[in-house]
């Protein structure tokens, strides 16, 4: 077990290093000069070169990569003298447009995205599994027909459209929910949840569809499974049999959720945009728009880190649900 | 004679679905004593599996049973949930056709057997139950049982899995074992081994066995008595010898003629005789008429005439070659013509 975790960690580190390299190369391939945005107007060539040298964007992608990795461990210093900026380790780069190191920026934005993603994850699991289970138990009933339609709709409609619809209906037409803003949990848990209900609905709506389908199919399979009949034939009570059926449903749901960590972060970019929340997705978008290399690399890498950790946790939890994996 | 292990009287199983009710088993009566094997034979849809399930009260949703079923002195149809749980897996156990789907993919073999033990003896510790599971696996001929007990169903071959399922069914020494097509999913050599194992354990434990099969070869090597079912009804009942040597129902005779035999040279007078299929398909149970269900497929119905279409035949006593044996057939014909007459 420990060997397994260690091996996974080493793989994860290499994966992150490769992701950083690819992101930096892609960024420079885009042939947008980050110095151009910083130097203001008018921007004579010599000033631009100076700015570029100061921001260290005049170097090659490989050099950038080496500096970046070095910065992660020992920190990084930009410029000299009065203009010197130091970015302490672990340095994900320094964002000149924001006048702040990326680590601080991510730390600022993280609570928003985490609140959004975790809440949406819980809502999507509750709604998805709940609806799926109900439609399997009463197959062909009203709930089943409703949730089949719901799942079709959820699978086929893009996030931004759902976002705008929710915003329009609940925010503007019914005036029932706030249409933007974020209140931190520590400040007021009630307000925190109140402001996030809209984004949660949007984000979980899309994802819940998949869980409705998987739960319904899997539970239907389990309910007619021979091994459950066999268990009854051994003298097990209904409750014992049902507990066993739940396990059969949870295994694929857990596997699916591990993959959906990615979708959750990706979807939050759009949900944050629609609801004007200043989270990681919003930070990444602004970084792309302002050609801010440090932010793009930093946020990309951090998101990749979250996804890898999420998958690792899922992989470690899976054997608890499905003992067959323990042996592999 | 001791009390029978299984007594079924006038069992009717009906299915309700979509506002229609169909009888899938009708007026079935069977008596089975300890140490004996009754084979229930019939093609798909004849109600043989449902009969087996009804005995354990494991009917699918929408099905209900009437009549009387007594297993080891316990009235199954009037038993409450608690009594049923006590009977299932202890008085009466079941071996399923598909051993893969009959085992939970998430439990190892030992956990299955330990579960069967602990459901009926909660005081047995998990460790003791697993130790007993090892013994049981050894008894059913699984090599290296101490290692096998920790394996998962998908790591076993079909034959080994079926052995494990048998171990699981027999661990509480049931008085009655219902084996539903126990060898159908296995290849022929393994089939023979599994049948031999079942017979051996049956002798050892003195239990009664209800062997559900569509295969006359399997029946011939394992059964003492045979019940032939057609469209949910009892077509013929008798000792293995009577059923094989002097079938009194055209359907039984048809099944015999459709089964390849190694003990009979299929070359008579230089001409090869072919296996004969029974023409047609089983009638739908829903639009069953008043007559004999087999009449539309029966080559002899013409000889009897209209009676086959308007009146369902009741089981009547037929000649038997066994002392004190019972041979019943539900056919309007008193005597089947000899095979060559049927062929013409």
């Amino acid at each position: 077990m420990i060997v397994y975790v260690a091996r996974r960690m080493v793989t994860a580190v290499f994966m992150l290093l490769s992701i950083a390299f690819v992101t930096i190369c892609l960024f420079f391939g885009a042939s947008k000069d980050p110095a151009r945005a910083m130097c203001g107007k008018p921007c004579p060539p010599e000033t631009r070169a100076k700015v570029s040298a100061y921001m260290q964007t005049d170097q090659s992608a490989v050099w950038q990569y080496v500096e970046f990795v070095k910065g992660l461990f020992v920190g990084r210093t930009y410029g000299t003298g009065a203009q010197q900026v130091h970015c302490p380790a672990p340095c994900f780069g320094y964002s000149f447009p924001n006048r702040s190191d990326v680590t601080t920026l991510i730390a600022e934005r993280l609570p928003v995205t985490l609140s959004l993603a975790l809440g949406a994850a819980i809502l999507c699991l509750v709604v998805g599994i709940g609806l799926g289970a109900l439609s399997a138990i009463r197959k062909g009933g009203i709930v089943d027909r409703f949730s089949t339609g719901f799942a079709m709709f959820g699978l086929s409609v893009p996030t931004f459209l759902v976002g705008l619809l929710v915003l329009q209906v609940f925010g503007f037409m019914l005036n029932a929910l706030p249409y933007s803003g974020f209140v931190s949990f520590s400040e007021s848990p009630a307000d925190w949840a109140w402001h996030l209900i809209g984004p949660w609905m949007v984000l979980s709506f899309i994802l819940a569809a998949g869980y409705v389908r998987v739960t319904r199919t899997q539970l239907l399979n389990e309910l007619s499974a021979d091994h459950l009949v066999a268990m009854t034939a051994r003298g097990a009570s209904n409750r014992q049999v049902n507990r066993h059926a739940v396990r059969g449903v949870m295994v694929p749901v857990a596997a699916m959720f591990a993959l959906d960590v990615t979708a959750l972060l990706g979807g939050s970019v759009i949900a944050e945009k629609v609801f004007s929340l200043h989270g990681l997705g919003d930070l990444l978008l602004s970084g792309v728009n302002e050609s801010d290399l440090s932010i793009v690399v930093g946020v990309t890498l951090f998101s990749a880190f979250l996804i890898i950790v999420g998958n690792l946790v899922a992989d470690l939890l899976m054997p608890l649900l499905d003992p067959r994996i323990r042996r592999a | 004679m001791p009390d029978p292990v299984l007594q079924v009287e006038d069992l009717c199983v009906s299915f309700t679905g979509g506002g229609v009710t169909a009888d899938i088993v009708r007026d079935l009566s069977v008596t089975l004593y300890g140490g004996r094997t009754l084979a229930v034979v019939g093609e798909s849809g004849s109600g043989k599996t449902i009969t087996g399930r009804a005995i354990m009260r494991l009917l699918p949703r929408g099905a209900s049973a009437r009549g009387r079923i007594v297993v080891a002195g316990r009235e199954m149809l009037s038993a409450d949930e608690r009594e049923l749980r006590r009977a299932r897996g202890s008085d009466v156990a079941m071996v399923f056709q598909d051993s893969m789907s009959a085992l939970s993919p998430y439990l190892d073999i030992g956990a299955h057997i330990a579960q069967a033990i602990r459901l009926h003896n909660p005081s047995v510790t998990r460790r003791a139950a697993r130790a007993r599971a090892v013994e049981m696996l050894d008894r059913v001929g699984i090599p290296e049982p101490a290692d096998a007990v920790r394996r998962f169903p998908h790591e076993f071959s079909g034959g080994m899995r079926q052995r494990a399922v048998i171990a699981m069914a027999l661990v509480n020494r049931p008085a009655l074992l219902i084996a539903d097509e126990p060898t159908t999913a296995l290849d022929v050599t393994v089939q023979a081994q599994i049948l031999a194992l079942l017979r051996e354990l049956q002798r050892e434990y003195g239990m009664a066995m209800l062997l559900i099969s569509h295969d006359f070869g399997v029946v011939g090597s394992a059964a003492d008595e045979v019940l032939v079912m057609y469209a949910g009804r009892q077509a013929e009942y008798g000792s293995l010898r009577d059923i094989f040597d002097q079938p009194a129902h055209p359907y039984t005779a048809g099944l015999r003629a459709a089964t390849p035999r190694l003990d009979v040279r299929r070359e008579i007078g230089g001409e090869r005789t072919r296996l004969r299929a029974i023409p047609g398909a089983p009638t739908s149970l829903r639009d069953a008429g008043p007559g004999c269900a087999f009449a539309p497929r029966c080559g002899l119905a013409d000889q009897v005439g209209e009676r086959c279409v308007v009146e369902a035949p009741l089981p009547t006593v037929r000649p038997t070659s066994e002392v004190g044996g019972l041979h019943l057939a539900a056919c309007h014909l008193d005597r089947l013509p000899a095979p060559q007459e049927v062929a013409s």
Side-chain angles (χ1 to χ4, degrees):
Chain A
M1 197 60 170
I2 294 164
V3 178
Y4 173 72
V5 176
R7 211 168 50 204
R8 285 292 305 260
M9 301 273 239
V10 173
T11 322
V13 169
F14 277 106
M15 210 137 84
L16 288 171
L17 288 176
S18 333
I19 290 168
F21 185 70
V22 171
T23 316
I24 289 172
C25 287
L26 280 176
F27 186 84
F28 279 93
S31 77
K32 254 181 129 187
D33 186 1
R36 179 79 191 72
M38 273 314 287
C39 106
K41 276 176 194 171
C43 180
E46 55 272 25
T47 318
R48 191 162 150 180
K50 238 192 247 167
V51 172
S52 203
Y54 174 56
M55 290 169 70
Q56 302 179 349
T57 50
D58 54 344
Q59 307 285 342
S60 72
V62 176
W63 186 91
Q64 293 283 347
Y65 177 68
V66 172
E67 280 299 302
F68 177 83
V69 174
K70 223 162 76 187
L72 284 177
F73 297 102
V74 297
R76 215 170 151 179
T77 307
Y78 296 87
T80 48
Q83 286 178 313
Q84 184 182 324
V85 191
H86 181 68
C87 165
C91 175
F92 279 91
Y94 189 85
S95 166
F96 290 95
N98 287 298
R99 301 194 183 286
S100 166
D101 55 289
V102 176
T103 316
T104 313
L105 285 174
I106 290 178
E108 267 171 33
R109 304 293 190 101
L110 188 60
V112 181
T113 300
L114 276 190
S115 306
L116 182 56
L118 285 180
I122 292 167
L123 189 62
C124 126
L125 286 177
V126 169
V127 171
I129 296 173
L131 271 184
L134 284 178
S135 30
I137 291 165
R138 293 255 178 279
K139 189 185 165 202
I142 296 169
V143 178
D144 188 18
R145 268 173 284 171
F146 164 76
S147 70
T148 305
F150 167 84
M152 280 300 287
F153 190 63
L155 286 172
S156 47
V157 173
T159 317
F160 72 87
L161 185 62
V162 180
L164 291 175
L165 277 175
V166 167
L167 201 58
Q168 176 72 19
V169 174
F170 292 97
F172 294 105
M173 281 164 67
L174 298 175
N175 241 330
L177 291 173
Y179 38 83
S180 75
F182 177 78
V183 178
S184 78
F185 184 79
S186 53
E187 216 170 293
S188 158
D191 264 5
W192 168 80
W194 184 240
H195 278 83
L196 281 168
I197 290 177
W200 282 341
M201 274 163 57
V202 173
L203 203 48
S204 58
F205 179 75
I206 307 286
L207 291 173
Y211 293 94
V212 173
R213 303 303 297 168
V214 169
T215 307
R216 179 181 182 274
T217 315
Q218 203 61 30
L219 190 57
L220 279 178
N221 275 343
E222 286 291 323
L223 288 179
S224 61
D226 275 356
H227 68 88
L228 295 184
V229 178
M231 214 172 138
T232 313
R234 250 172 278 154
S237 68
N238 277 337
R239 198 200 297 175
Q240 286 164 312
V241 171
N242 286 342
R243 210 182 315 148
H244 220 77
V246 167
R247 168 138 65 173
V249 177
M250 288 325 287
V251 170
V253 165
M256 189 168 158
F257 185 70
L259 296 175
D260 271 347
V261 174
T262 320
L264 218 46
L265 286 175
S268 72
V269 173
I270 295 161
E272 281 170 18
K273 195 79 203 160
V274 173
F275 286 91
S276 320
L277 293 170
H278 299 295
L280 284 181
D282 178 63
L283 183 64
L284 180 64
L285 276 185
S286 71
V288 170
N289 288 336
E290 290 163 21
S291 308
D292 192 336
L293 172 68
S294 304
I295 284 186
V296 173
V297 177
V299 175
T300 306
L301 211 57
F302 186 71
S303 308
F305 172 72
L306 287 184
I307 291 165
I308 287 171
V309 168
N311 274 297
L312 183 61
V313 169
D315 281 351
L316 293 179
L317 289 179
M318 280 302 274
L320 298 180
L321 286 171
D322 186 348
R324 283 176 297 178
I325 303 171
R326 240 173 268 166
R327 199 76 52 74
Chain B
M1 204 129 194
D3 284 342
V5 171
L6 170 69
Q7 205 165 359
V8 176
E9 281 169 29
D10 301 322
L11 175 69
C12 289
V13 181
S14 49
F15 232 112
T16 311
V20 189
T21 301
D23 287 332
I24 35 182
V25 175
R26 252 203 258 182
D27 304 326
L28 196 76
S29 297
V30 157
T31 304
L32 183 59
Y33 290 91
R36 308 287 288 176
T37 298
L38 171 70
V40 183
V41 191
E43 56 201 297
S44 309
S46 59
K48 53 192 195 308
T49 293
I50 287 292
T51 304
R53 296 269 168 114
I55 292 167
M56 289 191 87
R57 283 272 302 273
L58 284 173
L59 290 174
R61 239 187 277 182
S64 61
R66 280 166 291 127
R68 186 158 174 249
I69 297 172
V70 185
V71 176
R74 189 179 309 226
E75 294 276 353
M76 293 299 277
L77 290 185
S78 58
D80 61 15
E81 197 51 44
R82 257 187 62 175
E83 246 185 298
L84 277 180
R85 283 213 301 274
R86 208 169 301 154
R88 288 175 185 151
S90 162
D91 292 342
V92 49
M94 200 165 204
V95 171
F96 294 83
Q97 171 175 353
D98 182 355
S99 57
M100 189 69 202
S101 61
L103 293 167
S104 162
Y106 306 118
L107 297 180
D108 66 18
I109 297 296
H112 280 96
I113 301 176
Q115 188 187 49
I117 297 169
R118 281 157 50 86
L119 278 169
H120 296 282
N121 306 289
S123 61
V124 177
T125 62
R126 202 169 293 250
R127 185 185 294 263
R130 284 187 78 94
R132 176 91 184 84
V134 175
E135 282 170 34
M136 203 61 206
L137 288 180
D138 191 35
R139 179 66 199 84
V140 297
I142 288 180
E144 297 175 48
D147 177 57
V149 80
R150 282 195 307 270
R151 301 241 225 122
F152 285 90
H154 70 275
E155 297 174 303
F156 269 34
S157 69
M160 284 299 145
R161 247 191 333 257
Q162 197 59 290
R163 282 174 194 269
V165 170
I166 291 170
M168 190 170 82
L170 299 189
V171 73
N172 292 321
R173 300 213 167 202
L176 171 66
L177 179 71
I178 299 173
D180 187 356
E181 306 262 7
T183 60
T184 306
L186 305 171
D187 60 57
V188 184
T189 45
V190 182
Q191 270 189 17
Q193 292 169 9
I194 295 292
L195 278 179
L197 174 68
L198 279 173
R199 289 294 271 179
E200 190 188 320
L201 290 167
Q202 179 183 25
R203 255 196 307 279
E204 188 180 321
Y205 295 169
M207 67 184 176
M209 179 152 75
L210 191 78
L211 178 69
I212 298 167
S213 182
H214 67 272
D215 184 342
F216 254 83
V218 168
V219 171
S221 63
D224 300 308
E225 281 105 36
V226 181
L227 171 69
V228 181
M229 285 183 76
Y230 188 80
R233 284 168 184 267
Q234 187 169 332
E236 186 165 1
Y237 171 87
S239 69
L240 183 68
R241 236 170 96 196
D242 286 343
I243 293 289
F244 271 41
D245 296 343
Q246 43 178 339
H249 196 286
Y251 179 60
T252 314
L255 282 181
R256 284 289 290 150
T259 310
R261 288 173 64 180
L262 295 175
D263 56 333
V264 174
R265 275 180 70 97
R266 296 219 147 255
E267 234 164 333
I268 302 164
E271 194 190 335
R272 287 179 82 88
T273 55
R274 289 173 169 272
L275 288 177
R276 271 193 308 277
I278 302 174
T283 35
S284 161
L285 293 168
R286 222 180 309 161
D287 34 62
C292 172
F294 188 61
R297 302 173 71 186
C298 182
L300 300 169
D302 295 341
Q303 294 185 20
V304 182
E306 204 179 61
R307 204 173 159 208
C308 286
V309 191
V310 295
E311 187 192 334
L314 294 171
T316 49
V317 177
R318 305 298 163 115
T320 170
S321 54
E322 310 273 334
V323 180
L326 181 64
H327 186 188
L328 299 169
C331 180
H332 291 308
L333 273 178
D334 291 330
R335 192 188 67 87
L336 285 191
Q340 45 270 47
E341 293 171 55
V342 182
S344 58

